[in-house]
Every structure is written in C-alpha cells, then in structure tokens.
Amino acid sequence: MNADLSAKCAPAEERGSWGSSVGFILAAAGSAVGLGNIWGFPMQVGKGGGAIFVLLYLVCVFVICFPILIAELAIGRAAARGPIAAFQTLRPRTPWWVVGALGVLAGVGILSFYAVIAGWTLAYVWYAATGAAGSDPGGFFGAFVKDGSKNVWLSFAVLVITAGIIIGGVRQGIEKASKIMMPALFILLVLLGLRALTLPGAAQGLAYYVKPDFSGITNIAVINAALGQAFFSLSLGMGAMLTYGSYLSKKTAVVKSAAWVAGLDTLVALLAGFIIFPAGFSLAGFNPAEGGPGLIFAVLPGLFSSMPGGALFGAAFFVLLTLAALTSAISLLEVPVAALVDRGWCRRKSVILLTLFVTVLAVPSALSQGASPALSKLPVFGMDFLTLMATVWNNWALPIGGLLIAIFAGWVWGADNVIAELEAEGNPFPFARAWSFLIKYVCPLAILFIIVMTARGMFGG
Ligand code: TRP
C-alpha cells in the first residue's frame, strides 16, 4: 500500500470524453439505474401508501428533476471541469463552489450506505443460486443482516471492486459492460413482471400499485420522500451528472440524451414495482408499509421459487442488480475523486484513500440492521442508522443541492446562457422557454416549499 501511495503520478492526462451519444446515454443511465430503482423505489412506494406515491414521484421527476438534469449537464459541459471547479470556472471568485463541495460530501455519505446494500445483493447471488432463503425468506434476511462481520466484509468487497474499476479508468470497460448489462437487466425485469402478474393475489398488488388513494396527496412527508427518491434515482443534486456532462462534446444533443436517461430510469423503477407488489401480495400476511430495507429480499426469493429454473433466474437477477449497483457506485465515488484530482492529487492515491475512508463510514450502516442494537434503533430519531443516512442525504442534501443548482442555472449563470450552451452547433432545444420558466420559478419554489414544510412538520411550528 505504501508503495502505491508514494508512486509518482502519471503525467496529466487529457480529460476523457464519451465515445458517442449512445455511450454517454448508457453511462449516465448506468449511474441512474441502480439500487434506487429496484431496492429503493418499491420500499418508498410501500412506506408512502402505494399508487399515490408513484403519482407524486412521477410529477417530481418530470416537473422538478428533469429540468435540473438538463441544467447539471449544461453546467458540466460548459465548464468541462469537475463539480467544484465547474462553479469556479463559470462564476470565479464567488462562493458558488460550495455547491460542488456539498456534492463531494454527499457522494461520500451516500456511498457509505449504498455499499452496504450492494453487499446484500452480492451475497444474494449465492443465496439465490443455492436456494438458501428457503421457505421463510423474511426470517432468512433478518438473520443475514444481523451478522455484523459478514456485512462489513461484504460492503468492503463492494468498495474494493468499485475502486478497482475506477483506478483502471476503464471508461471503455464501463461503456462496453453497460451495453450488454442494461438490456439484459431489462429483459429479466420484464420476464419477472410477467411471472409476478400471474401469481394468485397479484390483482390486489396491482391495485395497490396503480390505483391511487388521493387522501395521501397532501401528506408533506410523503411528498418529501417522493422528491428525495426522484433526486436519488436520477443521480441528481450533487454533481454526478455535472461530472458526466463535463465529458460531453459540443456535438451531443444534450436535451434528447437527458430525456433518454430520465425515461429509462423511470421505466426501470416502474417495472420493479410491477414485480414486487403483485409478488408480495401473493404471500400470506404481506404488509408493504413494513417491508423497510429488506422488502425486495423478503419478496423475491418466493417469486424465484415459483418459477421453473428459479435458482438460475434468481442468481442472474442478483448478478445484474449488483452490476447495476456498481455502475452507480462508480459515479458516486467519481465525484470526490474528480475533486481531488482537480487539486493535483494522483487518481490512484485519491481512490485508495477515499475508499478506506468510505469503508470506515460504512461500518455503522452495516451494523444497523440488528447487529448493533443501539445503531438499529437510534435514541433520537427512532430509526436505524442506514435509514437515517438514506433520509438525510436523499430527502435533504440532494433536494437542497438541486435547489442551488436551479438557482445557479436560472439566475446566476442565467437561463439564456444555458440555452445558448445547449443549442451550440445547431442542436435543438425544444421547449426551451418552458424549461426556462421551470428552472427559474417552479423548481426553486417547489423545492423550497417542500423542504420548509417538511422541516415544520418534523420540528413542529
Ligand atoms: N441513482 C443511483 C440509484 O438509483 C444512485 C446514485 C448514483 C446516486 N450516483 C448518484 C444518487 C448521485 C445520488 C447522487 O441507485
């Protein structure tokens, strides 16, 4: 390790760039599509009361997040720098670089719990292949996450693999792997959905998922969760998309690519719900609101065991889910790495130090599902540490980051400059006026309203 850290930096390389628009779309979709879609989305739907959450989520994605996705990509491409330096480039000698710095913190914080869940999916490759979850998958999951040292080792393994990929700088590898992996994941999801929808009890699950109970529409905690989930799922609000945008060429049609990324990400999340709820409701005594972080791990093994060749399907599913998680984890680690590299650190040294740091931060999350009673039910918030981390970063840090990015794009750098950047080289920006209205008024006011009301609801007022 010492030898690694004291090794000379390679001479400064040229900034990379995406091979093609398709390559960019796949890499950005690879960042967006991950545990947030397949693990997080169904869990949030369960907590948020079913179809009403789905509806609120879709509104957040298309009205609030999609305009911000366009803004992040435009900022990154215009500056051709990582998050902190991008703000310094576009508005030198102003405090706006702090937004990038917040993003760096968020990347480290999110990765620390993300790695724990990715560790679960990694272990479940083996469990699904061997049918280890047996007839009581919920009980099996409960026992599995109580094993503290196993969970710490699994998250460490995930972080080491992520670091290995990033050190190699294998843009090639990522682009190529995504081209095979994403369609495969998609096909498997459709197959699983078809199977789930034909299970007994599926109709009840389907109704829960698509028929909204509108009494929940004014519940600010649910709206806040939908907003946080939308930011998280699109990898938005912390400079990850900004960084990916910085590798774009001026020729790329950014708005069209952004529409593809948001569309694919939303499709995968919606598909996951069409699997989990019909399959869940076919189980006796299923309560979606109580699923928590273990929801998919309690439901899916039952689905696999109802299929011919289920062990194979199950193992393949968790392999693909782990890969989807890795392409997302890469984009999370890339943000702090890019910030250190921008400051003259070696890529390799930055990656190793950050990975060690995140590993330590991941320990409390890894122990929070039963291994440590204190971390599993915190005295102050009454939640487990992992859920607390997810809530702080998703529901607060990302929307606040998004709010600042919207203000920066709409008012500070200026909506007209963004539009000019995106229309460079004759690219179309359909609905540019509508976008400008959304980014200047709707996004900031809606996010501000949601976070202020949520804070009032939590702290009384
Ligand atoms: N979007 C990913 C998922 O849904 C997680 C993720 C990757 C992310 N990069 C991010 C979340 C940046 C927020 C910010 O699993």
Side-chain angles (χ1 to χ4, degrees):
M1 183 85 66
N2 269 337
D4 282 339
L5 291 181
S6 55
K8 279 239 166 62
C9 282
E13 293 165 34
E14 245 182 82
R15 281 184 64 79
S17 67
W18 303 109
S20 62
S21 296
V22 176
F24 162 69
I25 291 171
L26 285 173
S31 164
V33 174
L35 298 170
N37 306 61
I38 291 166
W39 164 81
F41 181 71
M43 167 177 74
Q44 296 290 350
V45 173
K47 274 202 235 171
I52 188 65
F53 180 92
V54 180
L55 198 69
L56 291 168
Y57 174 79
L58 291 174
V59 172
C60 289
V61 166
F62 290 106
V63 179
I64 300 177
C65 289
F66 184 57
I68 296 179
L69 174 59
I70 293 175
E72 260 200 45
L73 293 173
I75 294 171
R77 190 175 76 167
R81 290 283 178 284
I84 298 180
F87 289 98
Q88 287 169 333
T89 304
L90 295 179
R91 284 294 172 269
R93 291 174 302 280
T94 65
W96 279 97
W97 61 269
V98 173
V99 180
L102 271 177
V104 170
L105 284 182
V108 169
I110 292 174
L111 189 56
S112 78
F113 75 85
Y114 203 82
V116 174
I117 303 148
W120 299 346
T121 68
L122 185 61
Y124 266 71
V125 174
W126 173 251
Y127 294 149
T130 56
S135 56
D136 177 20
F140 178 84
F141 179 77
F144 161 67
V145 284
K146 273 206 184 70
D147 186 335
S149 63
K150 196 186 261 177
N151 276 274
V152 170
W153 278 109
L154 282 167
S155 37
F156 183 53
V158 166
L159 289 167
V160 168
I161 299 171
T162 308
I165 299 175
I166 289 203
I167 288 182
V170 278
R171 170 111 340 111
Q172 267 282 340
I174 299 173
E175 279 196 36
K176 271 197 190 134
S178 303
K179 273 184 192 159
I180 304 167
M181 185 207 85
M182 301 274 298
L185 180 65
F186 195 76
I187 292 169
L188 204 59
L189 286 173
V190 172
L191 283 179
L192 291 175
L194 290 175
R195 177 63 191 126
L197 285 168
T198 51
L199 288 170
Q204 202 194 340
L206 195 60
Y208 173 83
Y209 187 50
V210 300
K211 276 208 191 130
D213 166 5
F214 284 98
S215 64
I217 202 159
T218 51
N219 186 336
I220 191 69
V222 175
I223 298 175
N224 180 242
L227 182 70
Q229 176 64 25
F231 270 102
F232 184 78
S233 193
L234 289 171
S235 304
L236 222 52
M238 52 143 308
M241 286 298 176
L242 187 157
T243 307
Y244 275 24
S246 74
Y247 304 129
L248 277 171
S249 90
K250 300 280 178 201
K251 288 202 199 84
T252 312
V254 174
V255 179
K256 198 169 118 195
S257 308
W260 269 103
V261 172
L264 284 173
D265 185 68
T266 306
L267 197 60
V268 173
L270 290 176
L271 266 177
F274 277 111
I275 299 169
I276 300 298
F277 295 108
F281 276 87
S282 76
L283 303 171
F286 176 69
N287 180 350
E290 283 170 3
L295 177 65
I296 68 163
F297 299 94
V299 170
L300 287 174
L303 177 64
F304 297 135
S305 67
S306 79
M307 303 169 78
L312 195 68
F313 269 111
F317 174 81
F318 282 112
V319 167
L320 291 172
L321 185 54
T322 305
L323 290 173
L326 284 173
T327 53
S328 301
I330 287 167
S331 75
L332 283 164
L333 192 57
E334 178 69 24
V335 174
V337 167
L340 288 182
V341 171
D342 276 347
R343 311 209 59 179
W345 285 50
C346 306
R347 192 170 180 82
R348 188 185 180 85
K349 181 173 161 187
S350 315
V351 171
I352 293 174
L353 286 180
L354 280 167
T355 302
L356 290 176
F357 183 61
V358 176
T359 303
V360 174
L361 272 186
V363 170
S365 287
L367 300 181
S368 72
Q369 301 297 307
S372 150
L375 290 168
S376 306
K377 195 159 174 42
L378 295 171
V380 184
F381 298 97
M383 18 172 136
D384 63 84
F385 187 82
L386 188 151
T387 305
L388 177 70
M389 286 296 268
T391 309
V392 167
W393 296 111
N394 299 8
N395 295 11
W396 297 92
L398 296 179
I400 290 171
L403 169 70
L404 295 171
I405 289 169
I407 294 173
F408 182 83
W411 299 98
V412 180
W413 185 32
D416 291 340
N417 284 329
V418 178
I419 294 173
E421 166 68 29
L422 294 177
E423 287 180 340
E425 309 221 352
N427 276 310
F429 188 169
F431 312 112
R433 284 179 166 276
W435 174 83
S436 158
F437 179 74
L438 289 171
I439 205 80
K440 283 166 92 165
Y441 304 101
V442 178
C443 297
L445 290 175
I447 298 174
L448 201 61
F449 176 78
I450 294 170
I451 50 188
V452 168
M453 293 305 282
T454 308
R456 283 187 46 176
M458 279 178 67
F459 305 113

